[in-house]
Amino acid sequence: MKRIIFSLLILCVGLCLSAQTTPEQCQGSLRPYPHVAQQEAAPDTLTPIFLVHVARHGSRFPAGSYSANTMLKALNKADSLHTLTPLGMNFKRLIENIIVRSIGRWGELDSIGMYEQRKIARRTFSRCAPRFSHAHVVAIASHAPRAVMSMYSFTHEISRLAKGISISASSGKEFDPLLRPFDCDSSYKAYMKEKPYMGIYRRYVSQNAPTPVSRLLGNDFPATKEELQELSIIEYYNIANLKAMGMDHDWQPYLTAAEYEQLWSCFNLRQYFMHCNNPLSAAPAQQTKPLLEDIIAHLSHFEDGNRKSNVIAYFAHQETIMPLMSLLKIEGTQFKGKNWKQLKNHVQDHYLCPMAANLQFTIYQSQTGALYLRCDLNEKVIPIKNKPYLPLHEALRFFNTLLK
């Protein structure tokens, strides 16, 4: 029976990673959290007794004004040169609307993001309800307001549902080594300063990125092919972020389905080099070792009988969660070879790290007292060392090997 369950898990992961990319998936890591009906219940012989929840903030307004302002600058230039097309004028109004909606709220969690966190909390409570009753929850968030509000949205929902629960919620720069290692880790900062992947990225863009922005700026707009490709990626970014900020994901007037997927593949390649262990550097994954060490410490303390808390929760960023997934060698973070056109079939940011992406580590106790660990990625069970439920001591031994 266990073999059948595991085979189905692998099949599901394979289907997620091999199916043709849909327009919704082409939003990439800017995509709002996908629909989940409920979390998978454990066998009746297992009872959840401890939970570690590691999450990305929920859907938000654009992280900054660069993409919208850069796009608007190009559209205004085309307008001044009388090359702007009617479609370009429509897109200009869309960009202006994005800017107006985002002024004073760049990067802030929006109502969609709050809802995502509440629903994840509700489904988690449903799966772990026996453990949440009279539980003690310790939650920490990075100092970024969108992470703080994600933490509050999640813990507030738990507090509404769980009888007698106590919650400790903290945020601040003191948690940066765990939750914002990209600001602290010297090796990763050096890697991002050097950007050794940019040669690969630029060649890939040159060979694969379409230029739908020409339909906005006009054929006589003065720009090189490289400039038009980069502007098309910026056009893509603005379109892909629409739904997460509460606007209609109205991509069809501006992109064909093939163009949307091609531009996503460029964005996805860069995400891979920035956030995953890759042939050029292990720094993206290695930066999250302190976080994994902290998770291991909590799991180990619980195994040793030190059970002061029942739920540990971390709220951070894509730049934290996706590298942690890579450090854990989760299916979908690894790519072998140098045929970068194939990368999109193996590593997909929309599958790994949409808005509100999360990893959950749940300790279950059997009727005989044995402890097992289950891992869920975005509320779907994923195997640890080929097993959906791995003896806790084996899981800890495996996690410790990843720190060496």
Side-chain angles (χ1 to χ4, degrees):
M1 184 64 181
K2 288 183 178 179
R3 186 174 298 174
I4 294 172
I5 292 173
F6 173 65
S7 298
L8 289 172
L9 287 170
I10 293 299
L11 176 62
C12 288
V13 171
L15 288 173
C16 287
L17 296 178
S18 63
Q20 184 177 3
T21 311
T22 67
E24 290 296 308
Q25 293 170 334
C26 285
Q27 294 169 100
S29 60
L30 302 170
R31 177 191 189 187
Y33 194 70
H35 172 73
V36 176
Q38 62 183 17
Q39 297 182 4
E40 181 181 320
D44 293 340
T45 55
L46 296 177
T47 301
I49 58 174
F50 184 74
L51 172 72
V52 175
H53 178 79
V54 190
R56 182 190 183 190
H57 58 75
S59 290
R60 49 145 176 82
F61 290 92
S65 61
Y66 172 79
S67 293
N69 286 338
T70 301
M71 194 74 246
L72 184 60
K73 182 179 179 180
L75 292 164
N76 283 336
K77 180 178 179 180
D79 198 8
S80 69
L81 295 173
H82 306 292
T83 66
L84 189 67
T85 67
L87 185 65
M89 182 60 71
N90 290 341
F91 198 69
K92 182 172 180 285
R93 284 192 286 267
L94 176 62
I95 293 296
E96 289 170 342
N97 193 8
I98 290 173
I99 292 172
V100 168
R101 284 172 175 248
S102 301
I103 287 176
R105 296 187 288 186
W106 295 107
E108 285 189 8
L109 198 74
D110 56 28
S111 59
I112 297 171
M114 297 176 198
Y115 179 78
E116 290 166 342
Q117 298 292 347
R118 291 197 302 270
K119 295 296 284 186
I120 293 168
R122 183 178 290 268
R123 290 188 294 268
T124 302
F125 172 82
S126 180
R127 175 172 66 87
C128 301
R131 177 43 48 201
F132 277 114
S133 180
H134 299 283
H136 180 49
V137 179
V138 176
I140 62 172
S142 87
H143 64 266
R146 56 184 174 271
V148 177
M149 185 56 72
S150 292
M151 174 178 67
Y152 289 149
S153 298
F154 183 94
T155 55
H156 177 265
E157 189 67 15
I158 293 295
S159 71
R160 289 182 62 252
L161 299 169
K163 180 180 178 181
I165 196 168
S166 66
I167 298 175
S168 171
S170 306
S171 62
K173 291 194 173 185
E174 63 266 34
F175 301 121
D176 280 5
L178 297 179
L179 304 181
R180 293 179 65 93
F182 47 91
D183 284 341
C184 306
D185 186 88
S186 58
S187 295
Y188 182 71
K189 289 171 71 175
Y191 171 73
M192 287 305 297
K193 182 177 181 180
E194 183 182 352
K195 292 182 172 60
Y197 56 83
M198 285 305 291
I200 295 171
Y201 172 74
R202 290 193 180 104
R203 284 192 295 274
Y204 184 87
V205 169
S206 177
Q207 295 167 9
N208 297 283
T211 56
V213 77
S214 295
R215 295 197 292 270
L216 309 179
L217 304 178
N219 293 329
D220 295 329
F221 183 79
T224 65
K225 176 189 173 185
E226 181 181 19
E227 290 169 338
L228 291 173
Q229 286 175 320
E230 285 301 321
L231 280 171
S232 293
I233 292 172
I234 292 172
E235 176 189 4
Y236 156 84
Y237 183 91
N238 282 287
I239 290 172
N241 201 85
L242 287 171
K243 194 170 183 181
M245 64 177 295
M247 296 177 66
D248 290 337
H249 181 218
D250 191 16
W251 58 274
Q252 289 178 301
Y254 309 107
L255 304 171
T256 66
E259 288 170 340
Y260 206 176
E261 182 172 10
Q262 288 170 306
L263 292 169
W264 162 74
S265 76
C266 296
F267 184 74
N268 184 64
L269 176 66
R270 192 170 183 180
Q271 299 280 291
Y272 164 72
F273 277 115
M274 290 173 64
H275 305 314
C276 293
N277 186 28
N278 63 73
L280 303 181
S281 178
Q286 296 292 311
Q287 65 170 319
T288 58
K289 279 186 174 182
L291 178 55
L292 180 56
E293 287 175 345
D294 203 58
I295 292 169
I296 291 171
H298 285 297
L299 295 173
S300 298
H301 288 164
F302 196 87
E303 182 186 37
D304 295 340
N306 183 0
R307 305 183 178 186
K308 294 180 180 179
S309 302
N310 311 99
V311 180
I312 305 294
Y314 307 83
F315 293 87
H317 306 267
Q318 177 189 5
E319 297 91 338
T320 315
I321 307 303
M322 198 165 167
L324 177 63
M325 294 174 186
S326 181
L327 182 62
L328 291 167
K329 298 184 178 180
I330 287 175
E331 181 78 19
T333 62
Q334 311 293 310
F335 180 69
K336 295 181 180 179
K338 296 183 179 180
N339 183 355
W340 303 115
K341 289 191 74 171
Q342 294 298 317
L343 178 99
K344 65 182 181 180
N345 298 323
H346 299 269
V347 178
Q348 298 174 347
D349 58 350
H350 61 76
Y351 163 73
L352 294 167
C353 210
M355 299 292 183
N358 57 89
L359 282 167
Q360 293 185 332
F361 304 90
T362 310
I363 297 178
Y364 285 87
Q365 188 171 46
S366 72
Q367 293 173 337
T368 62
L371 301 178
Y372 295 86
L373 188 71
R374 162 177 146 177
C375 182
D376 292 60
L377 168 61
N378 299 328
E379 303 180 84
K380 304 294 182 183
V381 181
I382 58 172
I384 308 172
K385 295 195 69 178
N386 300 332
K387 295 180 180 179
Y389 297 87
L390 186 67
L392 180 58
H393 68 277
E394 290 186 33
L396 290 172
R397 188 184 309 127
F398 170 63
F399 290 162
N400 276 299
T401 65
L402 301 177
L403 298 175
K404 296 178 180 178

